[in-house]
Amino acid sequence: MGTTRPDNREEPSLPRHATAAPSRRPDRGATPRRYLMCPPAHFRVTYSINPWMDPAKPVDVPLAVAQWEDLRDRYRALGHTVEELTPRPGLPDMVFAANGATVIGGRVLGARFAHPERAAEAAEHLDWFRGRGYERVVEPDHINEGEGDFAVTASWILAGRGFRASPLSHGEAQEFFGRPVLGLDLVDPRYYHLDTALAVLDDARDEVMYYPGAFSPGSREVLRRLFPDALIATEADATAFGLNAVSDGRNVLLPQSATGLFEPLRERGFEPVGMDLGELLKGGGSVKCCTQELRI
């Protein structure tokens, strides 16, 4: 039997990191990646559009910049390319660059934000791509917040819905990218984007890690069927934003406070890299939120 949540939904009975690692640890190889990031020069928490944001808590901007630069520099030290988007005054959440677009095969599906506070970010991203010669750049008709709710695996585009993205955006993405899009329902407002509840560990092997409590019962069953060997995160690691992670196929960059994920990742042949983005967490984002992947 599962335990009962405060909202009377039954939580599945899952022991810590319930699904076992594959019996033979695969050889892991890092693949060079290209990322787009935006410095938090204007980062503030002046409004609240998710449960993590509290305007009463001050932000240390120099510390936020230092933490962001540490993440950027770590990517480069691992052999990845990092492009930078110029931050704009009045758009404090631009640092969460993952939300601005989804790029697959050089095709760019822009974002349409759910909240007016972030709406102007979409044009900044589109202008950046057009200015660098991307030929297939599309402004969407329906609300999607980029890689906040689109996660790319070898076989699917996993697509979150329930708090931000419109279900209509799933069909729009499928038509544009020509790849099957699988909708997943998010039910806990703390995990308002898919990238707070699920991370792709190996996009060549369809390997993921996720927190079941963030999803509806039907979506949990879909995830169980598609990813029977997934790494299952505990609530403690999910609330530490441990699933807001970026993997290059070997190195997994994630919040250093998600300590319960480190050993399970090592058991599967990954190398966890703990990062401190505590100031940016005040805006409801961490490693993945700051990192948009440019898949050519």
Side-chain angles (χ1 to χ4, degrees), residues 5-23:
R5 294 166 56 96
D7 57 8
N8 295 320
R9 293 197 306 274
E10 188 178 84
E11 187 69 272
S13 296
L14 290 166
R16 186 171 179 81
H17 306 298
T19 49
S23 57

Side-chain angles (χ1 to χ4, degrees), residues 62-77:
L63 179 56
V65 171
Q67 292 175 345
W68 179 91
E69 289 178 343
D70 187 34
L71 176 63
R72 178 202 60 193
D73 294 347
R74 187 64 61 93
Y75 285 138
R76 288 174 173 166

Side-chain angles (χ1 to χ4, degrees), residues 42-80:
H42 307 294
F43 178 61
R44 304 286 190 281
V45 179
T46 59
Y47 48 79
S48 180
I49 57 173
N50 68 59
W52 306 95
M53 300 178 79
D54 182 354
K57 294 182 178 179
V59 171
D60 185 333
V61 176
L63 179 56
V65 171
Q67 292 175 345
W68 179 91
E69 289 178 343
D70 187 34
L71 176 63
R72 178 202 60 193
D73 294 347
R74 187 64 61 93
Y75 285 138
R76 288 174 173 166
L78 290 170
H80 305 308

Side-chain angles (χ1 to χ4, degrees), residues 5 7 9 161-163 184-192 212-217 219-220:
R5 294 166 56 96
D7 57 8
R9 293 197 306 274
R161 62 191 175 208
F163 296 103
L184 298 168
D185 291 303
L186 297 164
V187 295
D188 186 327
R190 295 176 298 173
Y191 310 105
Y192 57 92
F215 297 94
S216 69
S219 293
R220 288 198 297 263

Side-chain angles (χ1 to χ4, degrees), residues 28-277:
R28 302 290 182 187
T31 303
R33 311 288 172 127
R34 294 184 65 226
Y35 298 128
L36 178 64
M37 300 179 68
C38 182
H42 307 294
F43 178 61
R44 304 286 190 281
V45 179
T46 59
Y47 48 79
S48 180
I49 57 173
N50 68 59
W52 306 95
M53 300 178 79
D54 182 354
K57 294 182 178 179
V59 171
D60 185 333
V61 176
L63 179 56
V65 171
Q67 292 175 345
W68 179 91
E69 289 178 343
D70 187 34
L71 176 63
R72 178 202 60 193
D73 294 347
R74 187 64 61 93
Y75 285 138
R76 288 174 173 166
L78 290 170
H80 305 308
T81 300
V82 179
E83 306 275 1
E84 293 189 27
L85 179 66
T86 302
R88 303 297 183 194
L91 297 177
D93 284 340
M94 273 188 73
V95 63
F96 301 128
N99 302 150
T102 304
V103 183
I104 305 174
R107 297 185 175 195
V108 181
L109 178 64
R112 182 177 294 274
F113 287 88
H115 294 284
E117 292 88 346
R118 299 195 66 183
E121 294 178 40
E124 297 293 334
H125 281 261
L126 291 176
D127 287 347
W128 188 90
F129 284 106
R130 288 169 178 150
R132 280 152 184 80
Y134 285 76
E135 295 182 357
R136 297 293 303 277
V137 180
V138 169
E139 182 178 356
D141 292 326
H142 305 291
I143 292 172
N144 86 74
E145 297 192 349
E147 290 191 312
D149 275 320
F150 289 137
V152 181
T153 75
S155 302
W156 302 281
I157 299 173
L158 305 178
R161 62 191 175 208
F163 296 103
R164 297 288 182 90
S166 164
L168 296 175
S169 70
H170 299 181
E172 188 172 29
Q174 182 166 279
E175 285 300 309
F176 182 63
F177 292 119
R179 298 180 59 140
V181 174
L182 180 67
L184 298 168
D185 291 303
L186 297 164
V187 295
D188 186 327
R190 295 176 298 173
Y191 310 105
Y192 57 92
H193 273 154
L194 183 64
D195 70 358
T196 65
L198 179 148
V200 179
L201 293 175
D202 189 333
D203 56 9
R205 288 186 169 108
D206 280 334
E207 259 186 279
V208 305
M209 61 179 178
Y210 67 95
Y211 171 54
F215 297 94
S216 69
S219 293
R220 288 198 297 263
E221 183 59 30
V222 168
L223 288 167
R224 287 191 191 102
R225 290 173 179 270
L226 290 182
F227 306 105
D229 294 322
L231 195 165
I232 303 300
T234 65
E235 182 174 15
D237 289 321
T239 56
F241 265 57
L243 296 165
N244 199 243
V246 171
S247 174
D248 61 16
R250 175 177 173 77
N251 302 290
V252 181
L253 283 70
L254 74 167
Q256 64 184 18
S257 56
T259 55
L261 291 172
F262 281 54
E263 189 55 34
L265 285 167
R266 291 191 183 101
E267 290 172 355
R268 293 162 181 261
F270 294 102
E271 185 60 42
V273 181
M275 305 300 303
D276 181 5
L277 293 177

